Amino acid sequence: MTHSTTDILVLGSGIAGLSAALGAARDGASVTLATKATQPEGASTWWAQGGIAVARKAPRQFKEDIHTASSGTSDPEALDVLVQNADAAVRDVLIDTLGVDFDTGGDGASFHYGREAAHSEDRILHVDASTGRHIHEPFLSHLAAHDRVEIRGDTAAIDLLERDGDIHGALLKSGDAVRHHYAGATVLATGGIGALYSRSTNPGGATGDGIAMAHRAGAATADMEFVQFHPTVCVADGDPFLVSEAVRGEGAVLRDANGERFMPAVHEDAELAPRDVVARAVEQAHERTGRVVLDVSSFDFAGTFPDLAAMCAEHGVDPSTGIPVVPAEHFLCGGVDVDTHGRASLGRLYAVGECARTGVHGANRLASTSLLEGLVWGLRAGTDAAGATPTDQEVSLSTTAGSPPSDAALDASVERLQRVMDEHVGLRRTPDGLQRALDALHAVEADVDAWTDPSARRGVHELRSACTAARLIAEAAKANETSVGCHYMERSDSPPAS
Ligand SMILES: Cc1cc2nc3c(=O)[nH]c(=O)nc-3n(C[C@H](O)[C@H](O)[C@H](O)COP(=O)(O)OP(=O)(O)OC[C@H]3O[C@@H](n4cnc5c(N)ncnc54)[C@H](O)[C@@H]3O)c2cc1C
């Protein structure tokens, strides 16, 4: 097998991986950034809509809002790191280095700061409702032109190279070619787990690869039960797109198939209640009446949200008759357990962005804080890792030959996994359902293990990761009997959240 070497290996090209690469390269390290994406749209970052929150002059209030959204479970030390570094990181990287043209207010000079549900201040920098791509594309271009950074697209990491508790790089697969890539430090930035569910806002490759690889290598994960579902995702033509919270912030209301507005009876903040509350109510209204729409008739939808209006047109949705919505998987709060510099529990291993559990989100995430988390932790991890140099010892992985599945068998296993996750590990969970999920997931995992060796096609590796991530979520959910944040145990004797 061929091999290659750099100081730092970053896996993933969303905001977290790009920030880690920038941090390390600025400090003089040579960086290889391998991403399985073939185009920018392969990262959730590109799809981010609402924007990126900053502290402005009220850092304490920002921390309080995040902490409240997490039901009091976010980690105070992580919050300090996020909030103290927020404005400087956004200014340095996004504005001064990349030149992101955030929307300005009426005077055309100062920024326009938006507000979303559960934010008590106007603090969200945005570019219309398509902030992600306006950050992601210049970031990719900037690093593509950087002397010390090499970006390898269409290249998936399939396993970490572990020896004696340290990570020395990863096995990278590009087409049929597999190579050992050695590095002084490896940064996981592989994003979320949307593909574990039949409906998600994430792009298709969100199969939890980084989390699964880290777990296989022996790294700790945490908070895996906290999967956030977005309440308003339009699936009119089977191709889901998110209808931002900002639309409800502007006055849109949710109605069931009978035209009834149901949120005021559920929560005092009605449509602006916490995401998990709205998502469960939408799911229940859907089950009860068969359809839920977002009624945007009270304001000028196309004038206020031109990007979303264009998306509706693209998907054949006429907003004047209500936008049909369902909840869909959106964000994983947990992941590879890391410290305030993104260091995981194994040596020379970092994790940043959505695949990491920094403690910022605890049991639930405040809107528009994950781009910021990826930026801040990415920079910190890259800078911290920059001094690491590769060792000259090689690492070999023991593998047994797998037997490749047919396309039909692979598809059937993906469908089975998603069905199990939808039914038993979704918005509302029960101990019995979680046990059924675990039994089924073990069976799928056993099939997939028998199919897997380095030569297996990418879909097999992705399903293997998805199985591991799904099992970690179901295990964590089963172990936590307390309903808190986005983990909701549906049974009468569920102990109340503290
Ligand atoms: C529709 C939508 C709207 C959102 N809106 C907002 C918002 O307004 N504000 C906000 O803060 N957050 C928002 N979020 C959440 C936020 O976008 C994500 O949490 C964040 O962008 C994650 O960044 P990341 O770098 O960790 O992962 P991603 O951006 O998902 O990038 C992961 C990268 O890893 C690569 N990868 C995966 N597996 C492998 C592998 N095995 N080998 C190599 N590469 C791999 C992928 O190809 C991809 O390039 C939104 C998310 C979605 C989906």
Side-chain angles (χ1 to χ4, degrees):
M1 215 178 270
T2 57
H3 74 267
S4 47
T5 307
T6 35
D7 294 338
I8 308 299
L9 173 63
V10 177
L11 302 173
S13 58
I15 192 166
L18 296 171
S19 302
L22 180 67
R26 276 178 169 177
D27 276 15
S30 66
V31 179
T32 296
L33 188 150
T35 177
K36 68 181 182 184
T38 52
Q39 50 192 2
E41 291 91 321
S44 286
T45 298
W46 191 89
W47 295 93
Q49 292 186 353
I52 182 163
V54 288
R56 301 186 71 190
K57 291 195 166 50
R60 216 181 65 197
Q61 199 54 49
F62 189 19
K63 274 192 266 188
E64 274 174 28
D65 287 351
I66 297 173
H67 199 58
T68 304
S70 76
S71 303
T73 58
S74 59
D75 175 340
E77 197 190 352
L79 278 189
D80 281 343
V81 167
L82 183 84
V83 171
Q84 281 163 12
N85 289 284
D87 296 53
V90 168
R91 164 65 61 187
D92 165 20
V93 177
L94 303 189
I95 298 170
D96 293 344
T97 305
L98 305 179
V100 176
D101 210 1
F102 288 114
D103 286 357
T104 50
D107 62 3
S110 47
F111 291 124
H112 174 263
Y113 293 94
R115 185 187 296 211
E116 292 190 31
H119 285 269
S120 62
E121 311 257 340
D122 298 342
R123 59 163 77 96
I124 301 169
L125 285 168
H126 61 100
V127 186
D128 190 8
S130 56
T131 310
R133 73 190 73 166
H134 290 277
I135 292 174
H136 197 210
E137 290 176 6
F139 214 156
L140 280 169
S141 305
H142 179 78
L143 288 180
H146 200 294
D147 286 350
R148 283 189 291 280
V149 180
E150 180 205 13
I151 299 181
R152 288 197 196 152
D154 200 9
T155 300
I158 56 175
D159 251 320
L160 297 177
L161 301 174
E162 186 270 340
R163 192 186 55 231
D164 301 332
D166 284 339
I167 298 299
H168 295 275
L171 212 52
L172 300 183
K173 183 156 191 191
S174 185
D176 289 334
V178 181
R179 70 167 65 201
H180 284 79
H181 187 97
Y182 293 108
T186 301
V187 184
L188 299 168
T190 52
I193 50 97
L196 275 53
Y197 294 86
S198 65
R199 286 198 295 244
S200 169
T201 60
N202 297 182
T207 42
D209 298 2
I211 295 167
M213 289 188 289
H215 174 73
R216 282 200 296 273
T221 58
D223 288 350
M224 288 295 290
E225 68 271 42
F226 301 120
V227 179
Q228 188 177 69
F229 291 79
H230 198 286
T232 52
V233 175
C234 180
V235 286
D237 61 356
D239 180 14
F241 67 95
L242 184 148
V243 185
S244 161
E245 223 125 41
V247 177
R248 276 172 285 137
E250 204 60 36
V253 296
L254 288 159
R255 297 190 188 281
D256 66 18
N258 305 318
E260 294 290 330
R261 188 178 166 207
F262 52 88
M263 278 313 298
V266 175
H267 194 280
E268 58 185 5
D269 293 332
E271 278 79 4
L272 295 180
R275 268 185 190 170
D276 58 298
V277 175
V278 183
R280 278 194 298 276
V282 169
E283 185 176 72
Q284 283 164 328
H286 218 277
E287 283 168 6
R288 224 172 31 239
T289 70
R291 181 176 155 91
V292 173
V293 297
L294 199 54
D295 175 353
V296 295
S297 59
S298 64
F299 64 97
D300 173 15
F301 177 67
T304 318
F305 298 102
D307 289 354
L308 278 173
M311 248 192 234
C312 284
E314 207 177 292
H315 291 267
V317 174
D318 175 5
S320 70
T321 60
I323 304 170
V325 290
V326 290
E329 191 283 341
H330 186 51
F331 182 82
L332 176 65
C333 300
V336 180
D337 199 15
V338 297
D339 68 9
T340 55
H341 286 89
R343 291 181 284 234
S345 62
L346 297 178
R348 297 171 180 263
L349 181 66
Y350 294 76
V352 292
E354 196 169 333
C355 72
R357 182 271 182 197
T358 62
V360 162
H361 309 298
N364 211 350
R365 176 183 74 111
L366 179 67
S368 289
T369 53
S370 45
L371 289 174
L372 180 64
E373 183 196 35
L375 173 68
V376 168
W377 257 263
L379 287 173
R380 288 169 73 80
T383 307
D384 195 78
T389 48
T391 62
D392 51 10
Q393 288 174 310
E394 297 205 344
V395 180
S396 54
L397 292 176
S398 63
T399 51
T400 46
S403 52
S406 66
D407 287 346
L410 184 60
D411 290 349
S413 291
V414 171
E415 270 171 38
R416 185 168 179 208
L417 172 98
Q418 291 179 338
R419 205 170 46 244
V420 167
M421 294 302 282
D422 288 349
E423 274 176 27
H424 301 302
V425 201
L427 273 163
R428 293 172 288 154
R429 302 159 177 181
T430 64
D432 288 351
L434 289 168
Q435 187 54 55
R436 276 201 290 279
L438 282 167
D439 294 343
L441 291 170
H442 282 129
V444 181
E445 209 171 7
D447 286 346
V448 180
D449 279 347
W451 296 337
T452 310
D453 66 25
S455 69
R457 58 194 189 275
R458 187 177 295 175
V460 173
H461 290 288
E462 291 187 325
L463 178 58
R464 184 184 185 213
S465 294
C467 284
T468 306
R471 178 169 53 75
L472 290 171
I473 293 169
E475 282 171 356
K478 182 136 193 300
N480 185 357
E481 294 182 1
T482 308
S483 291
V484 57
C486 46
H487 170 59
Y488 185 78
M489 290 296 272
E490 197 175 49
R491 60 173 202 186
S492 52
D493 59 343
S494 176
S498 55

